[in-house]
Amino acid sequence: MPLLPEPGPIRTLAAVTLVNTIGNGLWMTSSALFLTRSVGLSIGQTGLALTLVALISLVTSTPVGYLADRLGPRGVAIGALVALGLCETAMVGVRSMAGFLVVAAPMAVFEAAQRAARGAIIGGAVPPDKRVYTRAYLRSITNVGITVGAAIAGIGLTVDTRTAYLSLILGDAATFLLAAAVLTRLAPIARAPRAGSGPRLTALRDRPFLAFVVLDGLLATNFGLFEVALPLWIADRTDAPHWMISVVFVVNTVAVVLFQVRAARGTDTLAGAARASRRAGFGLLLACLIFSLTAGTGLALTVLLLVVAALVQVTAEMWYSAGGWAISFGLAPDHAHGQYQGTYAMGHQFGQMVAPAAVTALTLGWGTPGWLVLGAAFAGVGCLVPPVVRRAAEHREPAENYSASSS
């Protein structure tokens, strides 16, 4: 992966992403303790509040994506980032669950807006043959930013005072405002004219595309597998030391930073992208098989298998991501990248919402058979992606475009 892309939209988006994701790392690392130890919410209240916020972001993704198309994605993204910064600043005054929801609910809408607008910016400012590369590069940058933010947040968590938590919150707010300022360097992108007089939210009526979104969302549960089920499995069902949880996370993060762009090769057509999703399904099956073996092995072999499985899982994860990006851009009409990116994000968000309960029930509840069922499910879903994408492509344009172009 090149350290710095060529001057232009990609470099600007990379700078915005780095600044914004440093703030994300601050929030992701400290939010649970901020809400429980500083605001005073119970663990149950914290989980419920964060779930409600995620639901708001999910259901508003397509409408705010439509607004990004109609109003111009650059302006919507800048406005959303500024609003996020102001809302995050208001978070310092939160003292109850109701107060948190009053601040966090609009933040969920603004977050959905800036995410959909960023997809529309890539669709409008980046050449078709560079869109997946751009998403891959930005994902690598995202991992760097979150890692930096998490490391900084570790200082505040060590201090463990309300002042320390509020400092992290204000730091996150500052990154939103700085990211908005950097984004002003990007040239304005023309508003997409509304096509015809039909329904506005066409993405929600595009059944072939929605079928892909559902499948992609099911594959997205692999993030919950890695972030929730695997740490619990390592701690409770293997003889590996608890620090192995950090090791597998480092393996994942470093692999994405170094190899996500390379993993996106071959996804420049819809057919190639669909095959990448299918490979991801089988890769996740293999990872699940290896993880399942670690319950009955000696320490040295357990450690080796965990590292190997983590490498297999992150490879599948990178194939999944690249395939999904290419398909979401390739199936979107030129005038509707915002709402199609918003709808695509809905599947991903839904998968991550249901993942903690689903994957822990299978892996921790059923043990080895649960790992096998989960892996088989990933492989089955991956196999469904190529025919679904082929049908979606035929629904739009001549069938040869399935293998000839993803733009």
Side-chain angles (χ1 to χ4, degrees):
M1 183 187 77
L3 293 179
L4 195 65
E6 64 275 11
I10 300 177
R11 181 178 292 188
T12 300
L13 288 170
V16 171
T17 299
L18 179 61
V19 171
N20 190 32
T21 53
I22 289 174
N24 291 346
L26 293 173
W27 172 254
M28 290 168 60
T29 306
S30 62
S31 57
L33 289 179
F34 166 70
L35 293 173
T36 54
R37 299 173 73 88
S38 183
V39 176
L41 304 188
S42 68
I43 293 175
Q45 287 177 317
T46 299
L48 176 61
L50 293 177
T51 299
L52 290 174
V53 170
L55 279 172
I56 293 170
S57 182
L58 187 152
V59 300
T60 58
S61 288
T62 302
V64 295
Y66 173 83
L67 289 178
D69 291 326
R70 298 288 82 80
L71 302 178
R74 173 182 173 271
V76 168
I78 292 173
L81 287 168
V82 171
L84 283 165
L86 297 177
C87 288
E88 187 74 355
T89 302
M91 192 72 73
V92 301
V94 169
R95 289 286 189 175
S96 65
M97 181 173 177
F100 173 71
L101 291 175
V102 166
V103 175
M107 287 187 73
V109 179
F110 296 133
E111 177 61 32
Q114 72 90 16
R115 183 173 54 244
R118 185 172 63 246
I121 288 171
I122 295 172
V126 177
D129 62 343
K130 285 285 189 179
R131 290 171 184 166
V132 176
Y133 162 82
T134 300
R135 289 296 295 263
Y137 185 87
L138 295 183
R139 183 162 187 246
S140 298
I141 294 295
T142 294
N143 273 31
V144 173
I146 289 177
T147 300
V148 172
I152 296 172
I155 301 173
L157 298 182
T158 301
V159 176
D160 194 25
T161 64
R162 178 168 174 80
T163 299
Y165 290 122
L166 295 184
S167 297
L168 296 176
I169 296 298
L170 292 175
D172 186 22
T175 63
F176 283 125
L177 299 177
L178 180 57
V182 174
L183 192 55
T184 61
R185 297 168 51 193
L186 187 72
I189 299 171
R191 304 174 185 179
R194 184 182 171 191
S197 58
R200 296 183 177 182
L201 300 182
T202 55
L204 294 181
R205 295 172 178 264
D206 188 339
R207 293 182 180 178
F209 183 75
L210 290 178
F212 157 70
V213 168
V214 170
L215 296 178
D216 190 81
L218 292 174
L219 287 174
T221 57
N222 84 88
F223 290 102
L225 164 68
F226 190 79
E227 295 169 5
V228 180
L230 184 58
L232 295 174
W233 175 265
I234 293 174
D236 296 340
R237 301 297 179 87
T238 77
D239 59 354
H242 288 186
W243 50 258
M244 275 303 298
I245 297 172
S246 297
V247 170
V248 296
F249 271 85
V250 169
V251 168
N252 182 278
T253 300
V254 172
V256 170
V257 171
L258 296 178
F259 301 115
Q260 179 64 79
V261 172
R262 184 177 300 177
R265 292 174 183 172
T267 60
D268 51 343
T269 67
L270 284 172
R275 288 193 297 269
S277 294
R278 184 173 59 199
R279 284 198 306 274
F282 282 104
L284 291 170
L285 168 60
L286 179 58
C288 287
L289 289 173
I290 301 173
F291 280 131
S292 72
L293 298 176
T294 60
T297 53
L299 177 58
L301 184 55
T302 298
V303 169
L304 175 62
L305 289 175
L306 285 173
V307 172
V308 171
L311 288 170
V312 174
Q313 187 275 336
V314 72
T315 301
E317 176 190 317
M318 291 187 289
W319 284 335
Y320 153 77
S321 297
W325 298 328
I327 294 167
S328 67
F329 282 124
L331 295 180
D334 287 339
H335 68 276
H337 277 295
Q339 64 168 294
Y340 270 74
Q341 288 298 306
T343 303
Y344 165 63
M346 287 176 61
H348 188 86
Q349 290 173 284
F350 179 77
Q352 291 189 292
M353 282 178 56
V354 303
V359 300
T360 53
L362 285 171
T363 59
L364 277 300
W366 289 10
T368 297
W371 280 104
L372 300 181
V373 169
L374 184 61
F378 282 134
V381 171
C383 286
L384 291 175
V385 173
V388 165
V389 172
R390 185 182 301 110
R391 179 172 178 268
E394 292 170 349
H395 180 73
R396 272 161 190 71
E397 301 180 54
E400 61 265 24
N401 285 332
Y402 173 73
S403 58
S405 174
S406 65
S407 60

